[in-house]
Amino acid sequence: MSQLEINWDKEPVPLSRVPIIEEVLRVPFNISNEEILETWRMVEVEKLDIRTITMGINILDCRDADAEKTGRNIYDKICLSARDLVKVGQDIEKDYGIPIINKRISVTPIAMLVDGFSADQIIKIGHYLDQAALEVGVNFLGGFSALVHKGYTRGARELIKAIPETLASTEHVCSSVNVGTTKAGINMDAVYDMGKIIKTTAQLTADRDGLGCCKLVVFCNAVDDNPFMAGAFHGPGEPELVLNIGISGPGVVGNVVKNNPDCDLGELANRIKNTAFKITRSGELVGRVASSRLGVPFGIVDLSLAPTPAVGDSVAEILEAMGLERVGTHGSTAALALLNDAVKKGGAMASSYVGGLSGAFIPVSEDAGMIEAAAAGALSIDKLEAMTCVCSVGLDMIAVPGDTPAETLSAIIADEAAIGMINRKTTAVRIIPAPGKQEGDYVEFGGLLGRAPVMSVNKNLSTLFINRKGRIPAPIQALNN
Amino acid sequence: MEEGKRAIITVLGHDRVGIIYGISGVLANNNVNILDISQTILKEFFTMVMVVDVSQSLVEFAELKEQLAGKGKELGLQVNLQHEDIFKFMHRI
């Protein structure tokens, strides 16, 4: 019987057979054309993307008495666990028409499984990590890390020694060191050491403007489930395998602000919130689909506005669209606070599990607007430090003169760590003392890492303060039991 | 999670004769059923949204996407194929 013939003999449909509302919603498709075009516009024009799918892998079981064997075990486990990660990521991009820029891996902090090994042996383990990243096709692998907020283990001490050489001789490995927490205070011995480690890392990669430092983050209150590099690691409380999603979308939020030049800040916050909801939903979807296709539990969506050097993909441009002549001027901190909060409020509703860093990033070299503001002299390190009090994640991708003393770098780290410790938030320092460069010169890293003007630091020394070392006690905020 | 069986085709560009003919030809050749079509023309700018059922498609999703984009290029249009869930997730709770 063709579909056009009507069977008049059929009994009338009883009322109980009238489709219930869920069935009606299934067919026809009830999304309006305007909404479909809005999604199209977000991706094609405003550069909405999923910044990263990061697979966390527990490698504690890879430890062997022999360092070489440990490295091989780690390599094997990563290659086995993440063999389909890139393929599944690419399939999801095609199926849903939303770009997934990076597929990455984070592993258990390496310091947790290298006690008894020497720095040289740990560098070799770093090479195995690099090879594993290359083999599965991810661009970065995080977890060459140590958590030393209260003090050093033998493994952590050797790992930190191994950082400069590892970052210089590998391409994909990222390193992070947690030097403080609200609960533990700040380990100033580690802060002292990290200033020197950063200097050495820059010198070993001097031919590439100190590129090694772009892969090294010093944290206070580091989080276990951060999907973003260079600070991602698979924390001690995480499951065997997990997928964490980092969303993006400064361009989408920027357009909301630009298209609403006259509304007051309360209304503006509301509109940013609505948009953040939609952006985050796309991350939630990608997370759920990837989790089901890979058979790996879905961890969290990280609600961060992550800029790239591309024009129109800038957090600085959002702040300027709010009415600041240049980011870095008075009012920047307030504008950023509003933005950061609105993104969180919209995002928190959109995802079942929110985590990671979840806050707007303000890296200098990775954000076209930040670069311009720094070059024009509108944005200083001091203002950036103030801005990190109201957003994630810290002084990020900042180039300073190559002759900056290690103690000054340590003091910059100590300041950021203090902000994090007192305000119970994550802060970080990813700073590049660019070898041979002076204030006003440029460093070029290329790709997502971008380029940056070398910014000036305070010339007055902090050496005696840093040389005291020891431990800054946990603040009264920690005593909340 | 269970992924839906439907996909959305968006066609954007200058209006001309034969757009629906061209796109639906690709779909028919691949055994893809059209569930809904709507189009608007604003100052010669043509937008069309199609809801299709890809469950019986003879080719993989990515291949269908390429064929449609290829046909779009021929007609001077941007043609995109996306899974329905992205729209449901973004615009409905």
Side-chain angles (χ1 to χ4, degrees):
Chain A
M1 185 176 76
S2 102
Q3 284 179 338
L4 290 174
E5 276 178 45
I6 299 166
N7 185 353
W8 296 106
D9 298 336
K10 259 193 176 170
E11 293 283 316
V13 178
L15 281 179
S16 63
R17 294 263 308 279
V18 170
I20 55 172
I21 189 72
E22 278 81 359
E23 290 171 3
V24 175
L25 283 176
R26 287 194 67 80
V27 262
F29 186 76
N30 74 330
I31 306 289
S32 74
N33 287 3
E34 288 71 28
E35 288 167 323
I36 288 174
L37 291 173
E38 183 187 355
T39 301
W40 178 86
R41 210 186 136 71
M42 281 183 180
V43 174
E44 297 291 328
V45 184
E46 298 165 348
K47 302 191 176 69
L48 169 66
D49 55 52
I50 303 300
R51 184 50 47 85
T52 180
I53 300 188
T54 303
M55 183 188 272
I57 305 174
N58 165 44
I59 53 166
L60 280 174
D61 56 346
C62 298
R63 168 74 203 220
D64 189 271
D66 177 54
E68 190 72 26
K69 183 79 196 325
T70 304
R72 272 205 304 278
N73 288 346
I74 294 172
Y75 173 88
D76 290 342
K77 179 148 189 193
I78 293 172
C79 291
L80 183 69
S81 309
R83 64 188 184 280
D84 296 328
L85 175 65
V86 172
K87 164 92 175 52
V88 164
Q90 287 166 346
D91 288 351
I92 294 173
E93 273 184 88
K94 287 192 190 118
D95 291 359
Y96 293 89
I98 183 156
I100 301 170
I101 305 298
N102 299 300
K103 294 90 186 170
R104 292 169 169 172
I105 291 172
S106 64
V107 294
T108 313
I110 296 293
M112 291 171 68
L113 60 164
V114 292
D115 278 306
F117 298 162
S118 69
D120 285 339
Q121 289 172 313
I122 298 172
I123 291 168
K124 282 195 187 122
I125 291 177
H127 292 164
Y128 275 109
L129 290 173
D130 204 38
Q131 283 167 27
L134 191 68
E135 173 64 29
V136 298
V138 296
N139 62 350
F140 283 120
L141 182 151
F144 198 81
S145 306
L147 311 176
V148 296
H149 36 274
K150 204 77 169 277
Y152 287 131
T153 58
R154 282 163 65 201
R157 190 182 297 280
E158 292 301 310
L159 179 119
I160 288 174
K161 271 192 219 162
I163 287 174
E165 179 60 38
T166 305
L167 294 182
S169 58
T170 60
E171 201 176 331
H172 311 287
V173 176
C174 290
S175 177
S176 54
V177 176
N178 192 55
V179 297
T181 65
T182 300
K183 280 285 183 191
I186 303 172
N187 176 357
M188 291 298 288
D189 293 350
V191 170
Y192 172 91
D193 288 338
M194 287 315 295
K196 296 193 183 319
I197 293 290
I198 289 172
K199 281 284 271 196
T200 315
T201 305
Q203 278 149 13
L204 290 183
T205 49
D207 55 331
R208 287 163 283 167
D209 283 347
L211 177 74
C213 297
C214 301
K215 300 180 283 178
L216 174 57
V217 187
V218 185
F219 274 118
C220 176
N221 289 325
V223 294
D224 287 353
D225 51 6
N226 166 22
F228 287 103
M229 294 297 168
F233 60 83
H234 186 71
E238 295 289 303
E240 183 69 14
L241 293 173
V242 73
L243 276 184
N244 296 322
I245 309 295
I247 57 159
S248 181
V252 183
V253 175
N255 267 4
V256 170
V257 178
K258 278 177 205 151
N259 295 336
N260 291 281
D262 299 320
C263 70
D264 74 26
L265 293 172
E267 178 56 28
L268 188 65
N270 206 30
R271 295 192 183 175
I272 294 173
K273 216 160 66 179
N274 291 343
T275 302
F277 177 86
K278 291 175 186 168
I279 297 173
T280 310
R281 287 298 283 173
S282 66
E284 173 83 2
L285 171 66
V286 167
R288 288 195 201 173
V289 173
S291 157
S292 123
R293 291 191 187 177
L294 285 163
V296 170
F298 177 26
I300 55 95
V301 174
D302 190 321
L303 311 175
S304 295
L305 282 183
T308 68
V311 174
D313 206 17
S314 156
V315 171
E317 279 175 29
I318 302 175
L319 303 181
E320 289 171 2
M322 283 190 201
L324 301 171
E325 190 179 343
R326 277 252 196 245
V327 68
T329 189
H330 305 291
S332 298
T333 311
L336 182 58
L338 178 154
L339 171 68
N340 200 40
D341 186 65
V343 167
K344 279 187 217 170
K345 283 176 179 158
M349 285 291 292
S351 171
S352 2
Y353 304 98
V354 173
L357 297 171
S358 286
F361 295 163
I362 49 169
V364 175
S365 79
E366 297 172 348
D367 186 315
M370 291 285 175
I371 297 170
E372 271 180 38
L379 182 65
S380 66
I381 291 192
D382 296 339
K383 188 61 182 178
L384 280 165
E385 184 183 313
M387 289 163 76
T388 65
C389 298
V390 298
C391 77
S392 92
V393 69
L395 293 172
D396 198 14
M397 292 301 286
I398 293 169
V400 296
D403 58 4
T404 306
E407 293 79 9
T408 299
L409 297 175
S410 294
I412 291 171
I413 294 168
D415 281 344
E416 268 306 308
I419 290 172
M421 174 180 78
I422 297 292
N423 296 300
R424 301 184 194 88
K425 72 188 288 291
T426 308
T427 49
V429 174
R430 184 160 54 144
I431 196 164
I432 304 106
K437 302 273 169 139
Q438 289 306 320
E439 189 186 338
D441 292 345
Y442 271 84
V443 289
E444 304 273 351
F445 303 119
L448 275 180
L449 298 171
R451 67 197 290 266
V454 175
M455 298 171 81
S456 72
V457 296
N458 198 314
K459 302 283 188 301
N460 297 293
L461 297 177
S462 327
T463 312
L464 294 179
F465 174 70
I466 294 302
N467 285 349
R468 283 173 183 265
K469 301 196 198 170
R471 189 145 60 90
I472 295 182
I476 197 79
Q477 283 89 329
L479 307 179
N480 55 359
N481 290 338
Chain B
M1 69 176 263
E2 201 181 318
E3 298 175 47
K5 296 283 181 220
R6 292 179 301 192
I8 311 301
I9 298 170
T10 42
V11 182
L12 299 156
H14 282 288
D15 194 16
R16 54 166 288 171
V17 172
I19 296 177
I20 295 186
Y21 173 78
I23 301 296
S24 56
V26 173
L27 298 176
N29 286 340
N30 293 307
N31 199 38
V32 174
N33 192 24
I34 299 171
L35 303 172
D36 191 23
I37 300 185
S38 63
Q39 66 167 65
T40 50
I41 299 161
L42 265 179
K43 293 180 182 170
E44 290 186 12
F45 193 77
F46 175 90
T47 64
M48 177 169 79
V49 174
M50 271 183 173
V51 183
V52 297
D53 175 0
V54 289
S55 59
Q56 305 298 318
S57 173
L58 300 175
V59 292
E60 290 286 315
F61 196 90
E63 163 69 18
L64 183 63
K65 193 179 172 96
E66 253 170 53
Q67 285 189 24
L68 285 167
K71 181 53 91 178
K73 217 168 183 187
E74 215 175 277
L75 298 168
L77 299 159
Q78 189 172 353
V79 183
N80 202 3
L81 175 72
Q82 284 166 283
H83 208 286
E84 62 171 330
D85 291 345
I86 184 79
F87 303 103
K88 284 185 171 175
F89 255 72
M90 263 200 184
H91 301 287
R92 295 289 178 274
I93 302 175

